[in-house]
Amino acid sequence: MTRTAFRRSSLFASAALVAVVSGTGGFAQTAPEGHGDGPAAAYQPSMTTLGELNVEIPGRKPGDPVVTPSEYQRANTIYFERCAGCHGVLRKGATGKALTTDITRESGFELLRDFITYGSPAGMPNWGTSGELTEEDVDLMARYLLLEPAEPPEFGMPEMRASWQLIVPPEERPTEKMNDIDIDNLFSVTLRDAGQIALIDGASYEIKAVIDTGYAVHISRISASGRYLFVIGRDAVVNMIDLWMESPDTVAQIKVGSEARSVETSKMAGYEDKYAIAGSYWPPQYVIMDGDTLEPLKIKSTRGMIYDEQTYHPEPRVAAIVSSHYRPEFIVNVKETGKILLVDYSDIANLKVTEIEAERFLHDGGFDSTKRYFLTAANARGKVAVIDTKEGELVALLETDGQTPHPGRGANLDHPVYGPVWATSHLGDDTVALIGTDPEGHPDHAWKMVQQLYALGGGSLFVKSHPTSEHLYVDAPLNPDAEVSGSVAVFKVPELDQEEPEYTVLPIVEWAGITEGQPRVVQGEFNKEGTEIWFSVWNAADLTSAIVVVDDKTLEPKHVIKDERLITPTGKFNVYNTRADVY
């Protein structure tokens, strides 16, 4: 399909969706003809143990809807499985709008019910018309949102230590690699709904191991030595996997909260493998752990004042964490308060933390090509903050001119005009922002959005490139149009000097040969050499999924990995690229 046809299709799907009124209290009311019940509707946000807790109904007020105790527990489960990741445990909003009672009661039951049923073009799935929630469930959730939010219990050191399992102590682990796996070219692949990861060989495409983990692993990270793989589920379970074992497996595990997204390890010279860190959505905190055992050592709450309003926020969630290559520091994004923390781990008994005021709703990001500068999206504010990790300061805060930037780690390119640039796509529209990252060689373009590209459509989660590649890949898995969400746009980097660069469309789902369901293509990841890129074809848990391997030079399919164990594959992390922050 041509680029023009794809954009027309995407625009039609967006126009067919329910319009959402801006500001507080705007919700969809009716479903226009052609309303999209496509892949975005099937998006499954996080499942967490929060939904399993028996939380009491907050104090009732006159006029509150009738919700029985059993209904309330079911509504809690639905909310924490489907909604908390975007709207927050306490419903104060971030990527999604706030759903506190001052807003929901003004909107009223009928508007809430219709919004839950039909969704919105800004990324809210259509839970009702997609069949994910029954009519009774939608009715219940509309009533539930008119009540005050429940507050789940805290999770401190006693709970963490009770959950901590040292399965194989360091002294009982191998002293040398006991397998023939090329670890640097190994892929850690999230099997989302199975609560597992698959370790897949980058050369033979063979599944070397399938390992039980927490639910819906969000990311995989690699220790500085390359020996240990750390994964964290959205249920806040961290697994430490020893890749030297004859059959790689978990050697330590801990639960750091009820809802989480991030884990990382120390990388600074002299501190390799010494510490690990994990950040939680609930409770809002991070914990520093021993890098060999996951023993929890120090917990720090992130509750505090919003940087600009100087008002207290009870739920500032920890989003992305990266490890500095220049200083013994973890760089911690605190979503709701808009602060980036530089956590000095050189002396954790006397912990020093530098607070950088950036922008609210910090989410994800990655390094520039020199690994000195950390670029991170404040997605609900449409901005990118730039941190100089060598000097420990904010150097820029810029607009991306797109709706809800969602970079993942982003992509680094050598632009024919602007030199080194970093890219992010957007959840809410079809744009890709290119930001100059070379203050020495290209000072006039540094920390500015130098170019805006137009890809397949809204609903993009990840962009990807590689130092050896001349391509920029852009997915769109949450687009409501099935053809768009099943494809990838590819720009040729040397041709980005054109007035309106064209892209090539790769029909990944078609190449996978999957005809059932509404599979979505997500998260390209290169092999170590940068010669091929892997895409997940993410289908329903009871249907066939796949991984499609594409030759980066020819843009042709090279291999399709299908296996009954590949249940809902999503994120993929090449060991070398992840450890070395190559993207």
Side-chain angles (χ1 to χ4, degrees):
M1 180 179 288
T2 66
R3 168 191 172 182
T4 303
F6 251 96
R7 291 189 63 189
R8 185 183 299 120
S9 173
S10 176
L11 291 171
F12 175 80
S14 296
L17 289 170
V18 182
V20 178
V21 181
S22 61
T24 59
F27 292 94
Q29 298 186 59
T30 58
E33 184 179 356
H35 182 82
D37 293 340
Y43 176 54
Q44 298 275 343
S46 68
M47 165 131 178
T48 99
T49 54
L50 286 172
E52 300 169 3
L53 299 173
N54 287 320
V55 183
E56 291 186 6
I57 302 177
R60 292 184 181 275
K61 297 179 181 179
D64 280 357
V66 175
V67 177
T68 68
S70 62
E71 284 183 319
Y72 189 74
Q73 298 311 322
R74 172 158 179 74
N76 265 333
T77 298
I78 293 172
Y79 183 80
F80 292 124
E81 288 179 358
R82 300 286 191 264
C83 318
C86 285
H87 297 285
V89 172
L90 302 183
R91 309 207 313 242
K92 292 184 176 291
T95 305
K97 290 182 178 294
L99 295 173
T100 48
T101 53
D102 59 318
I103 296 171
T104 60
R105 290 175 181 174
E106 181 179 345
S107 301
F109 169 81
E110 290 186 356
L111 288 178
L112 289 168
R113 179 196 61 200
D114 292 343
F115 187 63
I116 296 167
T117 300
Y118 301 116
S120 84
M124 167 72 175
N126 45 331
W127 298 114
T129 57
S130 70
E132 293 293 326
L133 295 181
T134 67
E135 187 175 340
E136 291 75 18
D137 285 338
V138 170
D139 179 276
L140 170 60
M141 293 310 296
R143 286 181 282 137
Y144 172 81
L145 292 176
L146 296 171
L147 300 174
E148 294 295 334
E151 184 166 338
E154 299 297 316
F155 202 93
M157 188 60 77
E159 291 81 7
M160 283 193 201
R161 294 196 71 88
S163 75
W164 174 47
Q165 301 177 60
L166 183 55
I167 299 165
V168 183
E171 63 271 16
E172 297 178 14
R173 298 172 195 166
T175 57
E176 60 183 14
K177 192 162 79 77
M178 303 297 291
N179 58 59
D180 61 357
I181 298 171
D182 180 1
I183 290 176
D184 271 356
N185 202 25
L186 192 67
F187 285 75
S188 174
V189 179
T190 297
L191 307 181
R192 193 185 188 283
D193 293 345
Q196 298 173 322
I197 62 160
L199 299 180
I200 304 180
D201 184 86
S204 68
Y205 313 122
E206 175 187 355
I207 297 177
K208 294 292 187 178
V210 174
I211 300 171
D212 292 333
T213 61
Y215 180 82
V217 163
H218 190 64
I219 59 171
S220 297
R221 290 293 181 260
I222 312 298
S223 67
S225 67
R227 173 173 181 171
Y228 294 110
L229 170 68
F230 295 79
V231 300
I232 188 165
R234 296 194 181 201
D235 56 1
V237 172
V238 179
N239 284 60
M240 179 181 179
I241 297 164
D242 187 353
L243 299 177
W244 278 15
M245 295 172 69
E246 185 173 353
S247 180
D249 209 344
T250 297
V251 293
Q253 187 181 76
I254 190 171
K255 185 173 173 60
V256 299
S258 299
E259 175 112 10
R261 293 294 187 277
S262 51
V263 67
E264 183 58 286
T265 66
S266 53
K267 291 181 178 176
M268 185 66 184
Y271 295 90
E272 297 94 337
D273 295 11
K274 185 174 179 62
Y275 294 116
I277 183 174
S280 300
Y281 270 22
W282 189 269
Q285 60 193 27
Y286 59 89
V287 57
I288 298 174
M289 301 165 285
D290 183 273
D292 283 330
T293 66
L294 291 185
E295 179 183 5
L297 303 175
K298 184 177 285 289
I299 303 172
K300 292 291 290 183
S301 174
T302 54
R303 291 184 172 101
M305 297 297 178
I306 298 170
Y307 88 97
D308 52 353
E309 295 179 355
Q310 292 294 290
T311 55
Y312 179 76
H313 198 293
E315 191 194 355
R317 297 173 288 175
V318 176
I321 301 177
V322 298
S323 188
S324 173
H325 294 266
Y326 285 84
R327 297 159 66 159
E329 290 178 339
F330 294 120
I331 302 158
V332 179
N333 276 354
V334 184
K335 189 182 287 279
E336 278 75 13
T337 55
K339 297 176 182 178
I340 299 173
L341 309 181
L342 308 182
V343 180
D344 185 338
Y345 54 72
S346 62
D347 180 6
I348 67 169
N350 300 283
L351 195 68
K352 298 181 180 68
V353 180
T354 300
E355 283 189 359
I356 297 177
E357 296 182 350
E359 183 56 281
R360 294 171 65 183
F361 311 120
L362 294 161
H363 190 61
D364 208 354
F367 290 109
D368 78 308
S369 58
T370 70
K371 303 178 180 58
R372 174 173 174 173
Y373 298 98
F374 174 57
L375 294 92
T376 185
N379 56 16
R381 291 289 178 92
K383 294 181 180 179
V384 165
V386 184
I387 302 296
D388 182 343
T389 66
K390 183 177 180 180
E391 300 299 329
E393 61 187 15
L394 178 75
V395 296
L397 186 65
L398 58 123
E399 301 275 352
T400 65
D401 293 345
Q403 184 177 350
T404 319
H406 194 285
R409 290 171 288 175
N412 288 301
L413 314 172
D414 191 5
H415 195 283
V417 175
Y418 305 110
V421 300
W422 180 88
T424 179
S425 56
H426 295 79
L427 275 169
D429 61 35
D430 59 351
T431 63
V432 178
L434 303 185
I435 297 167
T437 61
D438 185 14
E440 294 184 4
H442 298 76
D444 292 342
H445 307 307
W447 319 134
K448 299 175 183 177
M449 197 190 84
V450 296
Q451 189 172 12
Q452 186 177 60
L453 309 177
Y454 295 90
L456 294 175
S460 176
L461 292 180
F462 301 105
V463 291
K464 184 61 67 173
S465 192
H466 188 276
T468 67
S469 174
E470 292 189 343
H471 295 119
L472 171 65
Y473 298 81
V474 186
D475 68 16
L478 299 189
N479 193 281
D481 186 290
E483 191 171 8
V484 173
S485 66
S487 303
V488 171
V490 187
F491 293 89
K492 292 185 178 181
V493 175
E495 297 179 4
L496 292 179
D497 58 349
Q498 297 178 1
E499 184 175 347
E500 189 174 353
E502 297 288 328
Y503 57 75
T504 300
V505 177
L506 306 186
I508 303 293
V509 168
E510 179 183 324
W511 289 346
I514 296 175
T515 57
E516 290 186 292
Q518 295 179 321
R520 289 152 286 164
V521 176
V522 65
Q523 207 259 335
E525 177 75 342
F526 275 88
N527 63 346
K528 178 187 175 183
E529 293 78 14
T531 57
E532 59 188 39
I533 182 168
W534 297 25
F535 290 99
S536 294
V537 180
W538 172 20
N539 211 348
D542 59 345
L543 297 176
T544 300
S545 291
I547 294 173
V548 174
V549 181
V550 176
D551 186 302
D552 179 61
K553 297 299 182 186
T554 66
L555 299 183
E556 294 292 332
K558 188 174 181 179
H559 189 81
V560 177
I561 305 173
K562 285 185 179 177
D563 190 292
E564 62 183 9
R565 294 170 292 177
L566 285 181
I567 299 171
T568 57
T570 53
K572 298 166 300 305
F573 302 87
N574 175 269
V575 166
Y576 177 81
N577 292 337
T578 303
R579 183 178 84 245
D581 289 309
V582 175
Y583 35 81

